Amino acid sequence: MNRVYNFSAGPSMLPLPVLERAASELVCYGESGMSVMEMSHRSPDYEAIIQDAEALLRKIMNIPDNYKVLFLQGGASTQFAAVPMNLIKRTGKADYAVSGQFSGKAFKEAQKLGYDVKCIATTKDDNFDHVPTITRDMIRPDAAYLHICFNNTIYGTKYPYIPDTGDVPLVADLSSCIISEPVDVSKFGVIYAGAQKNMAPAGVTLVIVREDLLEYAEEDMPTMLEWKTMADNDSMYNTPPCYSIYMAKLVYDWIIELGGLEEMKKINEKKANLLYDYLDSQDYYIAPVKKDSRSMMNVTFVTGDADLDKKFASEASAKGLKNLKGHRSVGGMRASIYNAMPYEGVEALVAFMKEFAAANPKK
Amino acid sequence: MNRVYNFSAGPSMLPLPVLERAASELVCYGESGMSVMEMSHRSPDYEAIIQDAEALLRKIMNIPDNYKVLFLQGGASTQFAAVPMNLIKRTGKADYAVSGQFSGKAFKEAQKLGYDVKCIATTKDDNFDHVPTITRDMIRPDAAYLHICFNNTIYGTKYPYIPDTGDVPLVADLSSCIISEPVDVSKFGVIYAGAQKNMAPAGVTLVIVREDLLEYAEEDMPTMLEWKTMADNDSMYNTPPCYSIYMAKLVYDWIIELGGLEEMKKINEKKANLLYDYLDSQDYYIAPVKKDSRSMMNVTFVTGDADLDKKFASEASAKGLKNLKGHRSVGGMRASIYNAMPYEGVEALVAFMKEFAAANPKK
């Protein structure tokens, strides 16, 4: 077995001890005589797994009791539709901040569904090289919610603050930064996240929703997209994505063993600092993101020469540093250094960056 | 490792060689240096997996070229909404046959969404102990489609024929009988199925749709529920449930090694016949389903005494024959004997049934 360093933006690395444990009990889980994949979701063995997953996540994220935790399917993209369908009835209109491609998609989806939505802030004219500064006066007081994407995977930006939305519920897509550091859940009305970056294999979507926001679902919306239906059925209105939830549970176990999110944050900061400090110390590579908007999870950089960028990604891959090519819509390079990326992986990347810069002087 | 015989209705048994292969390559897949769970869905390694999965399924099911194969999320329950949202615009109304709980849910979901739908046949008054006889004259000629559930997991019934719907597209939920025997795909407009019975772990939903039916999606429906969007993006509009699709591919490999669906059908018939022949040979257990509607996958029976039924399921479980309790809505017993249930499992069940009948004479 020769494991590579996988800098993919998602699906992405999972902790090796988690993978090894999953492999060891894949055919037969404990005393159950079967794989977790084969368990009825209504069996006591499986109910223990999903209940543990929720309890562990509540502990890790310090989720207040008045929030429901849902394990759903369909990815964050499905939530782009579910958010307005579940919430807009509160007042009839909603506000969006557009800080990158996915927040833009969320906004467009609400428009497609025919809702009265307004983009109150965007950094599109600056190529999304920073996140908007959102102040309370920008938000319509009668908005049903304000939607933001907290960490922008493609551009490598993150909100350095939680916007103060007053009485307007804040709805945030945390797909690419969930459980990477502590976050004050009580400041949000709804948090949602696809699992495939920091939490589990693709196929499970987390929704954390304040209970008082469960009362506004459209009458004529798909039942499977109703948060209240899922909350009332403990995420088991139908068969949940059982194995992905089990994998999430193993990841939560791993985080607790590491010391929780405070410790996770220290590890992630150390990795990100190593890379950003190097970027700031030289002028071969350019880091396009403004310093106060830098993501700890997705680090973007370019050489300024598309051919060199291509050569970089290709040579890095040959050395076991995989998936460093930037998103197809922006080019350049992107190193996604989620929870499961070891510090040694970032060291290896920085060493390669130095080597490549020395070997490929710019004209 | 002491594997049990798991008669769960789903999630349910997976073939042991499939589980063993998955375990062996869980940490590191081939030369990739990573788990399938960690692969970018846009990487060449993963693209090969999803393309193989589709090609193998097309081969196994002999799917005509004018049908698209989609690997989605959300389960059959999500398709209950997706079906009318994608199709009803063809004519503005649709017909449903209700042969059990899930076909009833599909009908109710279309009503909830506000559509003009009609139940043209139901066997509710007979406790769903058989499927309806559907003839062409019962279907409204201007229906956008007729929806049926081909195999009714809870009641243990299956259509012994494919309804002739003339020019009206037939839409069928095949969740609990997909790839258990050959089926003429060309007789259907749309086939859909949750994976967690015969195909893969829960978390992937198969949709097979005739291309000319991709043009009727509602303008204002959730993008993630649009078949055309998914077809245009080869099921990768967003991140698909990668690992479940990989598991499905391993199951398809296993079926091809067995000799394909003709061979699979022989094996399944042999298992079902063993159980039904025993049920027909005695009068301790009652098989409520009419003979011409019997399912080859889900075999229901009762003792006629709820306490004895309970004792049966409990004692069977202690002997490694798991999950024989009938669905909570109907009681009694149900043995789900999907593709992965070995013949020996059914032999063990019949042996136990004889033993239990002898030891527990009825008053």
Side-chain angles (χ1 to χ4, degrees), chain A residues 39-44 46-47 233 236-239, chain B residues 328:
Chain A
M39 286 179 184
S40 166
H41 55 299
R42 308 218 183 266
S43 65
Y46 189 73
E47 281 183 352
N233 289 277
M236 300 226 260
Y237 172 74
N238 74 334
T239 313
Chain B
R328 59 196 187 283

Side-chain angles (χ1 to χ4, degrees), chain B residues 18-33:
Chain B
V18 165
L19 292 174
E20 286 170 341
R21 181 162 166 199
S24 76
E25 60 194 24
L26 189 143
V27 174
C28 239
Y29 177 81
E31 301 299 308
S32 71

Side-chain angles (χ1 to χ4, degrees), chain B residues 13-329:
Chain B
M13 288 189 86
L14 287 162
L16 185 56
V18 165
L19 292 174
E20 286 170 341
R21 181 162 166 199
S24 76
E25 60 194 24
L26 189 143
V27 174
C28 239
Y29 177 81
E31 301 299 308
S32 71
M34 63 182 81
S35 174
V36 172
M37 297 184 194
E38 302 176 297
M39 286 180 184
S40 166
H41 55 299
R42 309 218 182 264
S43 64
D45 279 330
Y46 188 73
E47 282 184 350
I49 290 172
I50 192 169
Q51 285 164 11
D52 275 3
E54 179 177 339
L56 291 167
L57 185 67
R58 283 187 176 276
K59 186 177 168 187
I60 291 172
M61 291 187 68
N62 195 22
I63 300 172
D65 288 344
N66 63 324
Y67 284 73
K68 292 286 188 185
V69 171
L70 310 177
F71 295 105
L72 308 180
Q73 294 187 62
S77 298
T78 299
Q79 294 306 313
F80 296 166
V83 165
M85 287 181 149
N86 279 286
L87 286 183
I88 211 159
K89 228 170 64 178
R90 208 178 75 85
T91 64
K93 58 180 74 165
D95 289 354
Y96 282 73
V98 174
S99 55
Q101 200 172 108
F102 288 99
S103 49
K105 281 192 170 187
F107 177 58
K108 276 188 201 130
E109 182 75 4
Q111 285 183 311
K112 173 185 194 285
L113 295 172
Y115 292 120
D116 176 3
V117 288
K118 183 183 169 191
C119 174
I120 62 149
T122 178
T123 48
K124 187 168 191 286
D125 290 346
D126 298 312
N127 264 327
F128 299 120
D129 68 356
H130 64 289
V131 298
T133 303
I134 298 171
T135 51
R136 214 196 268 204
D137 59 297
M138 296 160 70
I139 305 161
R140 294 182 291 183
D142 60 346
Y145 58 87
L146 169 69
H147 180 281
I148 64 169
C149 180
F150 207 44
N151 184 92
N152 300 283
T153 324
I154 291 176
Y155 297 91
T157 63
K158 182 180 173 260
Y159 282 85
Y161 66 98
I162 300 176
D164 173 10
T165 55
D167 291 335
V168 175
L170 178 61
V171 176
D173 179 352
L174 262 69
S175 292
S176 47
C177 61
I178 191 98
I179 62 171
S180 63
E181 61 181 333
V183 62
D184 184 351
V185 175
S186 75
K187 301 273 193 250
F188 297 83
V190 181
I191 288 172
Y192 66 91
Q196 65 271 21
K197 289 131 190 327
N198 263 332
M199 220 154 44
V204 56
T205 313
L206 176 69
V207 175
I208 302 169
V209 52
R210 214 173 62 208
E211 280 171 356
D212 61 290
L213 298 175
L214 291 172
E215 305 305 323
Y216 303 105
E218 301 279 5
E219 299 276 317
D220 61 349
M221 67 178 283
T223 307
M224 283 292 295
L225 267 54
E226 288 174 7
W227 296 333
K228 185 169 191 311
T229 297
M230 288 301 175
D232 288 348
N233 289 279
D234 298 322
S235 304
M236 300 225 261
Y237 172 75
N238 73 334
T239 313
C242 300
Y243 196 73
S244 297
I245 295 170
Y246 154 79
M247 288 297 300
K249 182 193 113 57
L250 297 188
V251 169
Y252 303 155
D253 277 331
W254 174 79
I255 288 178
I256 283 175
E257 269 174 43
L258 280 181
L261 289 191
E262 285 294 352
E263 201 54 39
M264 195 77 251
K265 182 185 184 181
K266 280 183 207 161
I267 296 168
N268 284 329
E269 274 178 344
K270 197 178 159 202
K271 288 186 290 182
N273 288 343
L274 179 65
L275 190 43
Y276 282 123
D277 286 350
Y278 169 66
L279 285 167
D280 291 342
S281 73
Q282 52 78 57
D283 56 9
Y284 186 86
Y285 303 101
I286 304 137
V289 170
K290 289 200 178 152
K291 286 192 182 179
D292 68 356
S293 291
R294 280 176 170 176
S295 166
M296 194 162 66
M297 296 284 102
N298 312 98
V299 180
T300 51
F301 55 94
V302 297
T303 62
D305 174 334
D307 288 335
L308 270 185
D309 288 353
K310 209 173 158 184
K311 193 177 182 203
F312 180 97
S314 158
E315 290 186 6
S317 181
K319 294 200 178 243
L321 306 169
K322 299 287 180 185
N323 295 311
L324 282 160
K325 201 174 148 215
H327 189 271
R328 59 196 187 283
S329 63

